[in-house]
mmCIF file of all heavy atoms in Angstrom:
data_model
loop_
_atom_site.group_PDB
_atom_site.id
_atom_site.type_symbol
_atom_site.label_atom_id
_atom_site.label_comp_id
_atom_site.label_asym_id
_atom_site.label_seq_id
_atom_site.Cartn_x
_atom_site.Cartn_y
_atom_site.Cartn_z
ATOM 1 N N SER T 84 13.727 13.082 -10.174
ATOM 2 C CA SER T 84 13.859 12.572 -8.788
ATOM 3 C C SER T 84 12.577 12.806 -8.002
ATOM 4 O O SER T 84 11.806 13.774 -8.267
ATOM 5 C CB SER T 84 15.016 13.325 -8.065
ATOM 6 O OG SER T 84 16.273 12.960 -8.619
ATOM 7 N N THR T 85 12.352 11.933 -7.028
ATOM 8 C CA THR T 85 11.437 12.307 -5.945
ATOM 9 C C THR T 85 12.145 13.189 -4.969
ATOM 10 O O THR T 85 13.353 13.495 -5.139
ATOM 11 C CB THR T 85 10.935 11.032 -5.213
ATOM 12 O OG1 THR T 85 12.063 10.417 -4.495
ATOM 13 C CG2 THR T 85 10.339 10.078 -6.229
ATOM 14 N N LYS T 86 11.497 13.547 -3.839
ATOM 15 C CA LYS T 86 12.177 14.343 -2.827
ATOM 16 C C LYS T 86 13.374 13.544 -2.363
ATOM 17 O O LYS T 86 14.433 14.133 -1.943
ATOM 18 C CB LYS T 86 11.210 14.562 -1.672
ATOM 19 C CG LYS T 86 11.878 15.212 -0.438
ATOM 20 C CD LYS T 86 10.920 15.372 0.738
ATOM 21 C CE LYS T 86 11.674 15.876 1.895
ATOM 22 N NZ LYS T 86 10.776 16.273 3.026
ATOM 23 N N TRP T 87 13.323 12.220 -2.377
ATOM 24 C CA TRP T 87 14.374 11.413 -1.741
ATOM 25 C C TRP T 87 15.504 11.053 -2.637
ATOM 26 O O TRP T 87 16.600 10.705 -2.151
ATOM 27 C CB TRP T 87 13.723 10.088 -1.246
ATOM 28 C CG TRP T 87 12.387 10.336 -0.581
ATOM 29 C CD1 TRP T 87 11.153 10.055 -1.015
ATOM 30 C CD2 TRP T 87 12.151 11.041 0.691
ATOM 31 N NE1 TRP T 87 10.156 10.387 -0.147
ATOM 32 C CE2 TRP T 87 10.784 11.083 0.936
ATOM 33 C CE3 TRP T 87 13.041 11.636 1.630
ATOM 34 C CZ2 TRP T 87 10.203 11.605 2.087
ATOM 35 C CZ3 TRP T 87 12.433 12.178 2.758
ATOM 36 C CH2 TRP T 87 11.082 12.165 2.983
ATOM 37 N N GLY T 88 15.347 11.157 -3.984
ATOM 38 C CA GLY T 88 16.324 10.825 -4.910
ATOM 39 C C GLY T 88 15.798 10.092 -6.145
ATOM 40 O O GLY T 88 14.554 9.975 -6.311
ATOM 41 N N THR T 89 16.623 9.575 -6.964
ATOM 42 C CA THR T 89 16.266 8.823 -8.160
ATOM 43 C C THR T 89 15.997 7.336 -7.850
ATOM 44 O O THR T 89 16.363 6.804 -6.830
ATOM 45 C CB THR T 89 17.281 8.891 -9.225
ATOM 46 O OG1 THR T 89 18.492 8.156 -8.771
ATOM 47 C CG2 THR T 89 17.695 10.352 -9.495
ATOM 48 N N LYS T 90 15.392 6.708 -8.825
ATOM 49 C CA LYS T 90 15.146 5.240 -8.717
ATOM 50 C C LYS T 90 16.494 4.508 -8.626
ATOM 51 O O LYS T 90 16.608 3.591 -7.786
ATOM 52 C CB LYS T 90 14.367 4.729 -9.932
ATOM 53 C CG LYS T 90 14.157 3.241 -9.908
ATOM 54 C CD LYS T 90 13.408 2.742 -11.173
ATOM 55 C CE LYS T 90 13.178 1.264 -11.121
ATOM 56 N NZ LYS T 90 12.486 0.834 -12.320
ATOM 57 N N ASP T 91 17.502 4.948 -9.380
ATOM 58 C CA ASP T 91 18.848 4.305 -9.253
ATOM 59 C C ASP T 91 19.385 4.406 -7.898
ATOM 60 O O ASP T 91 19.970 3.450 -7.316
ATOM 61 C CB ASP T 91 19.765 4.890 -10.329
ATOM 62 C CG ASP T 91 19.441 4.447 -11.733
ATOM 63 O OD1 ASP T 91 18.747 3.428 -11.870
ATOM 64 O OD2 ASP T 91 19.964 5.110 -12.675
ATOM 65 N N ASP T 92 19.249 5.596 -7.283
ATOM 66 C CA ASP T 92 19.730 5.815 -5.903
ATOM 67 C C ASP T 92 18.949 4.913 -4.929
ATOM 68 O O ASP T 92 19.587 4.301 -4.050
ATOM 69 C CB ASP T 92 19.504 7.290 -5.456
ATOM 70 C CG ASP T 92 20.300 8.319 -6.248
ATOM 71 O OD1 ASP T 92 21.334 7.861 -6.710
ATOM 72 O OD2 ASP T 92 19.822 9.464 -6.285
ATOM 73 N N LEU T 93 17.660 4.736 -5.107
ATOM 74 C CA LEU T 93 16.889 3.904 -4.297
ATOM 75 C C LEU T 93 17.374 2.418 -4.388
ATOM 76 O O LEU T 93 17.567 1.769 -3.391
ATOM 77 C CB LEU T 93 15.437 4.035 -4.725
ATOM 78 C CG LEU T 93 14.498 3.001 -4.042
ATOM 79 C CD1 LEU T 93 14.405 3.151 -2.542
ATOM 80 C CD2 LEU T 93 13.082 3.093 -4.673
ATOM 81 N N VAL T 94 17.538 1.913 -5.564
ATOM 82 C CA VAL T 94 17.927 0.562 -5.766
ATOM 83 C C VAL T 94 19.321 0.273 -5.174
ATOM 84 O O VAL T 94 19.527 -0.775 -4.525
ATOM 85 C CB VAL T 94 17.883 0.151 -7.257
ATOM 86 C CG1 VAL T 94 18.563 -1.188 -7.476
ATOM 87 C CG2 VAL T 94 16.473 0.204 -7.836
ATOM 88 N N ARG T 95 20.233 1.206 -5.356
ATOM 89 C CA ARG T 95 21.573 1.072 -4.788
ATOM 90 C C ARG T 95 21.527 1.029 -3.207
ATOM 91 O O ARG T 95 22.221 0.317 -2.586
ATOM 92 C CB ARG T 95 22.477 2.141 -5.299
ATOM 93 C CG ARG T 95 22.930 1.947 -6.692
ATOM 94 C CD ARG T 95 24.181 2.863 -6.998
ATOM 95 N NE ARG T 95 23.840 4.237 -7.075
ATOM 96 C CZ ARG T 95 23.400 4.842 -8.215
ATOM 97 N NH1 ARG T 95 23.419 4.176 -9.377
ATOM 98 N NH2 ARG T 95 23.075 6.113 -8.208
ATOM 99 N N MET T 96 20.662 1.876 -2.669
ATOM 100 C CA MET T 96 20.561 1.907 -1.218
ATOM 101 C C MET T 96 19.974 0.630 -0.727
ATOM 102 O O MET T 96 20.527 0.071 0.258
ATOM 103 C CB MET T 96 19.618 3.102 -0.824
ATOM 104 C CG MET T 96 19.464 3.277 0.709
ATOM 105 S SD MET T 96 18.175 2.256 1.449
ATOM 106 C CE MET T 96 16.694 2.991 0.753
#
Side-chain angles (χ1 to χ4, degrees):
S84 294
T85 66
K86 173 179 176 175
W87 317 110
T89 66
K90 179 181 177 181
D91 287 343
D92 293 335
L93 169 64
V94 172
R95 282 195 291 268
M96 183 276 291

